[in-house]
């Protein structure tokens, strides 16, 4: 009875002083009922059983117009001021090179000089003297003219091929940016020598460092190899189509046989190009990893990649020749 009297007294006082929200009335009633359940006789032994309850009715004073105004302000802020996200630990800064970078003055000049030296340096090698002195005096001018024109044609073809490969790589870079994830595109387009320098300062062991540099070179050199494969296969397909469209006069009667042979020959050439390009990519990655440990990281990576790119097709050709000779 004492508990019921206390509850009624508190309810009368709260009714006279304040008007509460329905939720607060329920919470206070629940708290007071909990107090009423504890008998007075046991409080001197176990202490007070009065629970502490905190409630807030601040939301009751907010009207619908105020809430609508807050929603409108939030929507305007999100629309006109996009949120700024905290960047991750690694920022993928992708900066592709210009599409026609192969036709810039410096790049085109280096390609021209390299191609001219490739085909004109063999002419400086001494040739054995001719046995017929009379024929030598008559044909010297013609041989000199022919020797100068043929390497020039080959040099022009080599320049066109290299510029086409570089331009194809720029196209593949833009395709990678558009259709590949940002992380993978960054790995394919990253500056490999600078990445090698960063890896050199991380304190890795030798085998881990070689593996990481080889992996980075494999990804960074992939688009170049893919561009070279595309150009070489395109050239072979063009030659096959030209032979089919414009056959030689003595071979017109064997047209059906030539089509089958040309298709088979084209398939063999594509397989050979694929094997050589794959070997070039793998050897370039291995060479970059090894040479980056023997000298300055960025320079060693570049030299090892170039050496592996040249040595890969040669090693594969030698192995295939030995294999064919052993089978024969």
């Amino acid at each position: 009875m004492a508990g019921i009297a206390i509850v009624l007294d508190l309810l009368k006082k709260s009714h006279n002083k304040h008007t509460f929200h329905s939720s607060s009335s329920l919470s206070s009633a629940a708290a007071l009922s909990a107090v009423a359940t504890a008998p007075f006789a046991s409080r001197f032994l176990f202490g007070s059983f009065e629970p502490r309850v905190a409630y807030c009715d601040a939301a009751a004073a907010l009207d619908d117009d105020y809430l609508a105004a807050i929603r409108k302000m939030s929507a305007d802020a999100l629309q006109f001021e996009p949120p700024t996200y905290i960047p991750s630990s690694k920022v993928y800064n992708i900066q592709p090179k210009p599409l026609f970078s192969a036709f810039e003055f410096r790049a085109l000049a280096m390609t021209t000089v390299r191609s001219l030296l490739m085909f004109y340096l063999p002419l400086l090698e001494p040739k054995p003297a001719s046995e017929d002195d009379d024929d030598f005096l008559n044909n010297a001018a013609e041989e000199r003219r022919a020797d100068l024109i043929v390497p020039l044609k080959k040099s022009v073809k080599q320049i066109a091929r290299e510029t086409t490969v570089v331009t194809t790589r720029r196209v593949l870079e833009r395709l990678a940016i558009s259709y590949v994830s940002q992380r993978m595109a960054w790995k394919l387009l990253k500056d490999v020598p600078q990445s090698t320098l960063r890896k050199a300062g991380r304190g890795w062991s030798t085998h881990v460092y070689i593996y990481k540099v080889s992996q980075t070179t494999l990804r960074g050199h992939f688009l170049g190899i893919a561009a070279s494969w595309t150009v070489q296969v395109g050239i072979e397909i063009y030659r096959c189509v030209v032979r089919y469209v414009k056959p030689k006069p003595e071979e017109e009667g064997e047209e059906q046989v030539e089509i089958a042979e040309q298709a088979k020959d084209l398939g063999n050439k594509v397989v050979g190009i694929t094997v050589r390009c794959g070997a070039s990519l793998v050897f370039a990655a291995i060479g970059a990893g090894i040479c980056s440990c023997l000298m300055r990281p960025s320079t060693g990576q570049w030299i090892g990649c170039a050496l592996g790119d040249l040595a890969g097709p040669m090693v594969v050709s030698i192995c295939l020749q030995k294999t064919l000779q052993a089978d024969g």
Side-chain angles (χ1 to χ4, degrees):
M1 295 296 293
I4 296 174
I6 292 173
V7 170
L8 293 175
D9 188 19
L10 290 175
L11 288 175
K12 185 182 297 184
K13 289 181 180 180
S14 63
H15 180 71
N16 294 331
K17 291 182 179 180
H18 302 283
T19 302
F20 294 101
H21 195 265
S22 60
S23 61
S24 62
S25 300
L26 291 175
S27 61
S28 60
L32 292 173
S33 63
V35 174
T37 55
F40 287 102
S42 62
R43 289 186 182 180
F44 72 96
L45 294 176
F46 302 100
S48 178
F49 288 90
E50 296 180 359
R52 297 180 180 180
V53 180
Y55 57 90
C56 179
D57 291 335
L62 301 178
D63 54 355
D64 296 337
D65 296 336
Y66 183 75
L67 295 176
I70 292 178
R71 294 193 191 98
K72 186 176 183 302
M73 291 173 61
S74 302
D76 294 340
L78 292 175
Q79 181 178 1
F80 296 105
E81 296 181 3
T84 56
Y85 299 98
I86 300 175
S88 59
S89 59
K90 182 178 289 187
V91 179
Y92 300 111
N93 187 14
I94 302 174
Q95 295 180 354
K97 295 182 179 179
L99 182 61
F100 298 103
S101 61
F103 297 96
E104 295 178 356
F105 177 76
R106 182 179 179 181
L108 188 61
M110 292 179 63
T111 303
T112 303
V113 172
R114 185 170 57 250
S115 300
L116 291 175
L117 292 176
M118 184 184 302
F119 294 102
Y120 276 99
L121 281 179
L123 298 179
L124 300 178
E125 297 178 359
K127 295 183 179 180
S130 177
E131 296 179 357
D132 300 331
D133 296 336
D134 297 336
D135 296 338
F136 176 76
L137 296 175
N138 295 329
N139 299 329
E142 296 179 358
E143 291 179 357
R144 188 180 298 109
R145 188 180 299 111
D147 290 338
L148 294 177
I149 292 174
V150 173
L152 181 61
K153 292 181 179 179
K154 293 181 179 179
S155 300
V156 171
K157 292 180 180 179
Q158 182 66 22
I159 293 170
R161 180 177 298 179
E162 290 189 13
T163 52
T164 305
V165 170
V166 175
T167 306
T168 306
R169 176 171 181 169
R170 301 293 175 254
V171 174
L172 293 177
E173 289 176 356
R174 280 153 177 80
L175 291 176
I177 293 173
S178 300
Y179 296 100
V180 181
S181 64
Q182 187 180 12
R183 182 172 179 270
M184 183 55 66
W186 179 74
K187 289 181 179 294
L188 292 174
L189 274 68
K190 68 166 35 177
D191 190 355
V192 181
Q194 293 298 325
S195 178
T196 305
L197 277 176
R198 293 192 295 268
K199 287 178 173 58
R202 294 177 181 175
W204 289 335
S205 59
T206 304
H207 64 280
V208 174
Y209 175 72
I210 292 175
Y211 172 75
K212 292 293 184 180
V213 173
S214 300
Q215 186 181 29
T216 304
T217 306
L218 187 72
R219 293 170 177 169
H221 198 52
F222 175 76
L223 291 180
I225 296 297
S228 178
W229 181 88
T230 303
V231 172
Q232 293 183 36
V233 172
I235 291 173
E236 295 298 333
I237 293 174
Y238 171 76
R239 290 175 179 174
C240 183
V241 171
V242 168
R243 290 174 186 173
Y244 176 73
V245 174
K246 297 179 180 180
K248 296 180 180 180
E250 63 273 9
E251 297 178 353
E252 290 181 356
E254 302 176 357
E255 184 177 357
Q256 298 297 329
V257 179
E258 286 184 0
I259 292 175
E261 291 180 355
Q262 287 180 4
K264 185 178 180 180
D265 190 21
L266 178 63
N268 294 332
K269 289 182 179 179
V270 171
V271 172
I273 292 171
T274 304
V275 172
R276 288 195 299 271
C277 289
S280 179
L281 181 62
V282 172
F283 276 79
I286 296 174
I290 294 174
C291 291
S292 61
C293 292
L294 302 178
M295 57 186 73
R296 191 172 184 270
S298 59
T299 306
Q301 189 276 333
W302 182 79
I303 294 175
C305 182
L307 293 177
D309 196 1
L310 294 175
M314 297 174 60
V315 172
V316 170
S317 299
I318 293 173
C319 293
L320 289 177
Q321 288 179 0
K322 290 184 178 181
T323 303
L324 293 175
Q325 289 177 0
D327 293 340

